[in-house]
Amino acid sequence: LHQVQEPAVRHVQRWWRKAKSKTESELLHIVLPTAAQAEQKTSAGLVTSPPLVTEEMLDLFDRYGVSTEYLQLRKQEEIQVMTPSPNTPGQRLPQQDAQWLRSRAFAAHWMIETCRQKNIKSNCWHSAVMLLDAYSMKTGFGPQMLPAVSMCLVRLVNKYDRSAFIPDHCGYLPYAQELSRNFAKQGVPNMTTITDQLLRETEMHILRVLDWNLDIPTVDQWLTMYTTRFNIISKFVYEKHISMVEQQSMHFVGELIKGEALTLQLPARELALGLFCYGLVSVGLLTVDRLQPTEAPGRGSAVNAGNCALSEAQLDEILSILEVSADSKLEAIQRAYGSAALRFNQVCQMFAELQRLQAQQAERASMSPPAAVVRAHHDV
C-alpha cells in the first residue's frame, strides 16, 4: 500500500508546486546564475555554481520533513505559543525581572538533572524549558511557582514523548520539594508549599494556557532543519563542514537556553539560525563581514575569519544557500547572527571564568593550610 500511495502523493505535490511556481520561487528566494557565474568550475571540492532549487531538491525537502511549508507552519506555531496573553495588559514580563531570570536558570539546571536521573531524553528537556518560557509569557507567574511548574513540564513532555500514562506517584514530587527548599535558601520569599494536589492542578492549568500544544520546535530542532536543507541544496558537498557546525552548535545550545529566556523577540528559530551562522564562520564557509550590517563593525570579532579560503563567488553562493535554507532574507540572518554572537561570547566568557576558578581551587588544594587560608582571603 505504501509503494502505491507514495508516488501518487508526490505526483500531487509536483502538480501543486507547478500551480504556484511563481509564489514558490519568490518564497525560496531562488538565485538564477549569471553568465560569468555559470562558467565557474568546481575547485577544491567545493561547489561554485549558484544554488538552484530543483524538483529533486523539493522532493528531498518533503522526504526529510523540511519543506518550506513545514518551516512556515512551525514558525506560526512558535509565534502563537510565545505570544504574551492579551488578558494581562501592562503586566511586567518575567523575562524582564533579574531575580526571575536567576531563578529560571537554576530551575533549568534542576530540570536537566531530573531528566538525567529519570533517563529522559535531552530533547525533552529542551522542550520543557521552551514551554516554561511560553507559560511565563502568558501568565507572568513569579519564582515562587517555578519548582512546581518546572517539574510539571518535565512530566508533561515525558508523557508526550513516550505517549504513555505516567502516574502522579512516579517520584516528581520530591524533586519539586527539593527545588523549592533550595529557592528558599537563596532568599526567594513566600515559597509555595509543594503537594501532589498542587502539581496536578498546575499541570492542568499549563495545558489549558498552552491550549494543549506541547509540540513546539526547539532550538536543536530548528538547527537540524536548517542543516538538512543546507546539505540538500548544496548537494551534500559541504556535509563534513555542516556536521562540524551542528556538533559545535548543539554543544552550546543547552548553556544558551539555560541563561537566556526565549521570547517572541528572541525565538528559538532565530537563536538556532544565529548559531548556524556562527558555526559557518568558525569552519571557514563564511566570513564575519558577510554577516555584519555595515553600521555594526566589530560585532562577532571573536570568530577567526582568517581561516576562510573561499573566493568571493563561493561566499556569495554560500550566502544564497543559507538564505534558502533558513527561508530568510539577509537582514534577518544578520540580525540572528548578531544576537547569537553576543550570547555565544558571553557563554565563552563564563566558561573561561569557571576554568579560572577551578584552577584557583586546585592551586589552593595543593598549598599548605596556612598558605591556602591567606590566598583565600586575598581572593575575597
Side-chain angles (χ1 to χ4, degrees), residues 166-295:
I166 300 177
D168 292 333
H169 53 78
C170 60
Y172 285 91
L173 180 61
Y175 291 95
Q177 291 174 337
E178 181 66 22
L179 180 58
S180 180
R181 286 192 290 268
N182 287 332
F183 274 8
K185 291 178 183 178
Q186 293 179 6
V188 179
N190 304 321
M191 288 304 301
T192 305
T193 303
I194 309 296
T195 62
D196 279 326
Q197 181 64 24
L198 176 65
L199 292 181
R200 285 192 292 269
E201 293 175 354
T202 303
E203 183 174 312
M204 288 304 302
H205 188 259
I206 291 172
L207 290 171
R208 285 194 296 267
V209 168
L210 298 180
D211 198 21
W212 294 77
N213 183 15
L214 302 180
D215 183 23
I216 58 175
T218 59
V219 177
D220 57 322
Q221 290 172 344
W222 280 110
L223 188 61
T224 300
M225 288 190 283
Y226 293 151
T227 55
T228 302
R229 287 169 62 92
F230 191 98
N231 280 329
I232 291 174
I233 299 170
S234 62
K235 300 179 181 179
F236 296 88
V237 172
Y238 308 97
E239 188 173 11
K240 292 183 179 179
H241 298 80
I242 299 304
S243 178
M244 294 173 57
V245 170
E246 191 168 10
Q247 292 177 7
Q248 171 187 292
S249 302
M250 291 295 186
H251 180 72
F252 289 98
V253 162
E255 297 300 328
L256 285 172
I257 63 177
K258 268 197 304 184
E260 186 75 24
L262 297 172
T263 64
L264 196 60
Q265 290 71 35
L266 180 65
R269 68 180 184 280
E270 183 171 314
L271 183 57
L273 178 56
L275 284 173
F276 187 30
C277 296
Y278 205 91
L280 290 175
V281 174
S282 67
V283 298
L285 290 182
L286 272 180
T287 56
V288 175
D289 61 311
R290 294 300 186 107
L291 296 171
Q292 284 182 326
T294 55
E295 65 272 10

Side-chain angles (χ1 to χ4, degrees), residues 59 109 136 177 179 259 346 350 359 364:
D59 286 342
H109 178 75
S136 69
Q177 291 174 337
L179 180 58
Q346 291 173 347
M350 180 184 68
R364 281 199 294 268

Side-chain angles (χ1 to χ4, degrees), residues 9-236:
V9 170
R10 298 201 177 279
H11 176 74
V12 173
Q13 289 173 342
R14 291 191 187 96
W15 175 84
W16 177 245
R17 289 197 197 99
K18 291 179 181 178
K20 62 188 187 75
S21 58
K22 182 178 180 180
T23 304
E24 186 77 15
S25 300
E26 294 174 353
L27 187 64
L28 291 174
H29 315 297
I30 294 177
V31 180
L32 297 177
T34 62
Q37 289 173 328
E39 293 177 357
Q40 294 179 349
K41 306 297 181 181
T42 302
S43 62
L46 298 177
V47 176
T48 55
S49 58
L52 292 174
V53 180
T54 63
E55 284 289 331
E56 181 183 2
M57 292 179 184
L58 294 174
D59 286 342
L60 287 175
F61 284 172
D62 294 328
R63 184 178 303 174
Y64 284 95
V66 292
S67 66
T68 304
E69 294 87 354
Y70 182 71
L71 260 65
Q72 290 183 335
L73 176 64
R74 301 297 274 171
K75 178 180 177 181
Q76 292 302 320
E77 291 175 351
E78 184 182 61
I79 292 174
Q80 181 180 359
V81 171
M82 300 302 294
T83 301
S85 174
N87 299 328
T88 53
Q91 182 185 36
R92 187 183 185 189
L93 297 177
Q95 284 78 356
Q96 300 169 351
D97 190 340
Q99 173 63 43
W100 192 92
L101 284 174
R102 288 192 295 268
S103 301
R104 175 198 174 276
F106 189 81
H109 178 75
W110 197 262
M111 293 163 78
I112 296 177
E113 294 303 318
T114 304
C115 290
R116 287 175 180 170
Q117 294 185 28
K118 289 188 168 294
N119 296 319
I120 301 174
K121 293 187 295 186
S122 61
N123 61 339
C124 290
W125 170 74
H126 290 166
S127 298
V129 174
M130 276 208 64
L131 292 170
L132 174 66
D133 293 335
Y135 182 68
S136 69
M137 292 288 292
K138 292 182 178 297
T139 61
F141 70 92
Q144 296 83 2
M145 283 296 296
L146 261 174
V149 173
S150 301
M151 291 303 103
C152 284
L153 286 169
V154 170
R155 193 160 76 111
L156 280 171
V157 296
N158 191 23
K159 287 180 182 180
Y160 186 84
D161 181 69
R162 293 171 55 185
S163 299
F165 172 72
I166 300 177
D168 292 333
H169 53 78
C170 60
Y172 285 91
L173 180 61
Y175 291 95
Q177 291 174 337
E178 181 66 22
L179 180 58
S180 180
R181 286 192 290 268
N182 287 332
F183 274 8
K185 291 178 183 178
Q186 293 179 6
V188 179
N190 304 321
M191 288 304 301
T192 305
T193 303
I194 309 296
T195 62
D196 279 326
Q197 181 64 24
L198 176 65
L199 292 181
R200 285 192 292 269
E201 293 175 354
T202 303
E203 183 174 312
M204 288 304 302
H205 188 259
I206 291 172
L207 290 171
R208 285 194 296 267
V209 168
L210 298 180
D211 198 21
W212 294 77
N213 183 15
L214 302 180
D215 183 23
I216 58 175
T218 59
V219 177
D220 57 322
Q221 290 172 344
W222 280 110
L223 188 61
T224 300
M225 288 190 283
Y226 293 151
T227 55
T228 302
R229 287 169 62 92
F230 191 98
N231 280 329
I232 291 174
I233 299 170
S234 62
K235 300 179 181 179
F236 296 88

